[in-house]
Amino acid sequence: MDYVSAGVRLLTRPSSSQSPAGLGDTKETTFCNVTEDASASDPRKVFYRISLDNSLLEIQLGKTATWLPVCYEGWNSSLGTLVCRQLGYLRLTKDKGVNLTDVGPLYTDGFVQITAEHKSSLESLWQFRGSCSTGKVIALKCFECGTRAKLPRIIGGGEAPLGRWPWQVSLYYSNRHTCGGSIITSQWVVTAAHCVHNYRLPQVSSWMVYAGMVTRTTSKMAQDTGYAVEKIVYSRNYNHRSHDSDIALMKLRTPLNFSDIIRPVCLPKYNFDFPGGTQCWISGWGYTQPDNVYIPDTLKEAAVPLISTKRCNSSCMYDGEITARMLCAGYSEGKVDACQGDSGGPLVCQDEGVWRLVGVVSWGTGCAEPNHPGVYTKVAEFLGWIYDMMEKY
Ligand code: 4AZ
């Protein structure tokens, strides 16, 4: 799929094109009906949040209903980084101890304190306490991501106004739009391994990253706003036959200036999967017609629900081809999907008010075909790898 200009296409298939598949379709869906597990299991034991009112870190131990502030004793900033990452933020921006007396009489249910012994996992580090001996609790600020500026009204469907997907970038290889990508920090972009692997990889200087635009040609021509690439890494487990681990990172030579139209997306939280049926969004400059090799000039967007792996791996969909590092999104009837030219671009889901990069456009059988939804790299499986690469390079 990456030999022609591999991009993702956000495609709306005309309903008439569905008719030949109509009969078989109905039959298939009856025996392919997979019952969904309504109760998505949640393995987490400790929950974190940062209070919007006063920036205090609050922890819930087990599934008890109370959120408790954290004593300053034993705290250090690397714990702050770990907590921010658990919450899907790239890093810590600021941490400090604040006097309990300054935050008012809000907290009467007790506190969480760091245990004295050094524990290997973050989850086992916390214990309940009646009070904090220093009288101070932790306030945290994590790197901001996944928000967009207040936008003018959205006109029509399908075309994305400037600033709606501010993390979306267009990756140009040899002066052609080749793939999409998502900004995660001022210097790092996530894309698909199939966009950059083999012959393209050594050609770092042939890549350019365009951010903060929806209309490719005019933005590009008006001012050459492209960012040069310094480094490309892709998952060492990437398999171009099975499309497993289809993820790559690009480091820009100079950092992006964030603005209303250029902003980073958040990553998923650790150990939390969005259930099948969650409404998410894709965006890209990929093909918009199933049988038309045409890369549109303006950014397109579409809403797609997640499909559980169990259902996507059933015999009527991908029959076992979906690995633990992939996820599916789209409709069993087809019609709306990513396509060539959209590859590497974002599948984002909104959660607690921020947008998270849940998937990277990867592959699929055709585009917008019934029972062949789009397949995405599951970003949550690569959080450790992403942080390692960003620390290393
Ligand atoms: C591609 O060729 C491609 N319908 C990307 C996404 C999908 C299919 C093909 C999903 O890059």
Side-chain angles (χ1 to χ4, degrees):
M1 67 174 123
D2 50 344
Y3 297 110
V4 199
S5 67
V8 193
R9 86 178 158 188
L10 296 170
L11 171 146
T12 314
R13 198 184 179 87
S15 41
S16 58
S17 65
Q18 230 204 342
S19 46
L23 256 181
D25 214 6
T26 352
K27 220 162 70 201
E28 256 175 339
T29 26
T30 35
F31 74 79
C32 289
N33 242 348
V34 174
T35 39
E36 298 275 1
D37 274 335
S39 56
S41 74
D42 187 341
R44 291 175 297 173
K45 292 191 196 76
V46 179
F47 298 82
Y48 306 91
R49 73 177 187 192
I50 296 166
S51 162
L52 287 176
D53 303 329
N54 52 23
S55 300
L56 290 198
L57 170 63
E58 297 176 349
I59 292 187
Q60 205 179 33
L61 295 172
K63 303 231 158 114
T64 57
T66 39
W67 287 95
L68 306 171
V70 182
C71 297
Y72 189 62
E73 291 91 287
W75 178 261
N76 64 56
S77 295
S78 50
L79 281 176
T81 302
L82 294 177
V83 170
C84 285
R85 288 178 177 180
Q86 288 285 325
L87 290 168
Y89 299 103
L90 262 293
R91 56 177 169 250
L92 174 73
T93 311
K94 200 173 167 190
D95 62 339
K96 62 175 184 191
V98 296
N99 284 326
L100 257 175
T101 46
D102 296 339
V103 288
L106 288 165
Y107 297 101
T108 51
D109 294 327
F111 300 85
V112 169
Q113 196 180 333
I114 297 150
T115 53
E117 349 51 295
H118 183 78
K119 292 274 173 64
S120 54
S121 91
L122 190 61
E123 283 210 331
S124 51
L125 197 68
W126 317 103
Q127 65 185 14
F128 179 83
R129 264 301 167 92
S131 63
C132 301
S133 58
T134 53
K136 280 186 177 176
V137 287
I138 299 296
L140 268 195
K141 214 172 158 250
C142 302
F143 175 74
E144 206 183 294
C145 57
T147 61
R148 51 194 181 199
K150 289 217 164 37
L151 290 169
R153 243 164 1 113
I154 296 148
I155 325 129
E159 285 207 353
L162 196 60
R164 193 155 142 89
W165 311 110
W167 40 84
Q168 170 88 53
V169 293
S170 166
L171 305 182
Y172 271 62
Y173 180 77
S174 292
N175 277 314
R176 287 180 65 183
H177 168 85
T178 301
C179 272
S182 307
I183 300 166
I184 54 166
T185 71
S186 59
Q187 252 182 310
W188 287 94
V189 165
V190 175
T191 186
H194 85 256
C195 295
V196 298
H197 84 296
N198 71 40
Y199 70 97
R200 290 189 187 126
L201 191 63
Q203 310 293 337
V204 172
S205 60
S206 302
W207 287 96
M208 284 296 255
V209 176
Y210 291 89
M213 64 167 192
V214 289
T215 318
R216 284 183 307 113
T217 45
T218 47
S219 318
K220 213 171 122 22
M221 282 183 303
Q223 356 130 270
D224 218 15
T225 47
Y227 283 74
V229 175
E230 179 179 307
K231 177 104 199 147
I232 302 174
V233 281
Y234 65 90
S235 169
R236 70 161 88 189
N237 298 321
Y238 170 59
N239 182 319
H240 77 279
R241 285 179 207 282
S242 64
H243 317 276
D244 202 17
S245 303
D246 190 8
I247 192 164
L249 286 168
M250 272 187 183
K251 186 180 187 190
L252 308 181
R253 212 174 277 164
T254 52
L256 295 158
N257 277 328
F258 291 151
S259 65
D260 280 358
I261 56 170
I262 303 180
R263 291 182 180 203
V265 68
C266 300
L267 292 174
K269 289 193 266 196
Y270 272 91
N271 296 320
F272 174 73
D273 287 344
F274 288 93
T278 305
Q279 193 66 257
C280 298
W281 288 79
I282 49 177
S283 48
W285 286 275
Y287 297 170
T288 54
Q289 291 297 315
D291 323 301
N292 192 349
V293 185
Y294 168 68
I295 291 282
D297 200 40
T298 50
L299 183 66
K300 301 285 186 288
E301 62 176 32
V304 283
L306 300 184
I307 297 175
S308 74
T309 299
K310 188 172 163 197
R311 198 170 144 227
C312 202
N313 253 339
S314 69
S315 58
C316 55
M317 287 191 174
Y318 286 108
D319 201 12
E321 286 184 82
I322 307 302
T323 71
R325 287 146 308 273
M326 300 175 188
L327 51 85
C328 303
Y331 300 89
S332 51
E333 66 271 28
K335 293 190 183 164
V336 181
D337 196 8
C339 200
Q340 203 166 312
D342 297 314
S343 287
L347 166 77
V348 290
C349 312
Q350 205 178 19
D351 163 43
E352 295 171 350
V354 299
W355 290 91
R356 300 186 188 280
L357 183 66
V358 171
V360 174
V361 179
S362 177
W363 66 282
T365 300
C367 299
E369 287 181 6
N371 283 323
H372 288 128
V375 186
Y376 299 80
T377 314
K378 185 174 173 183
V379 177
E381 293 293 317
F382 295 94
L383 295 174
W385 178 78
I386 292 173
Y387 294 128
D388 284 351
M389 292 302 117
M390 294 198 328
E391 264 160 34
K392 195 160 154 203
Y393 296 110

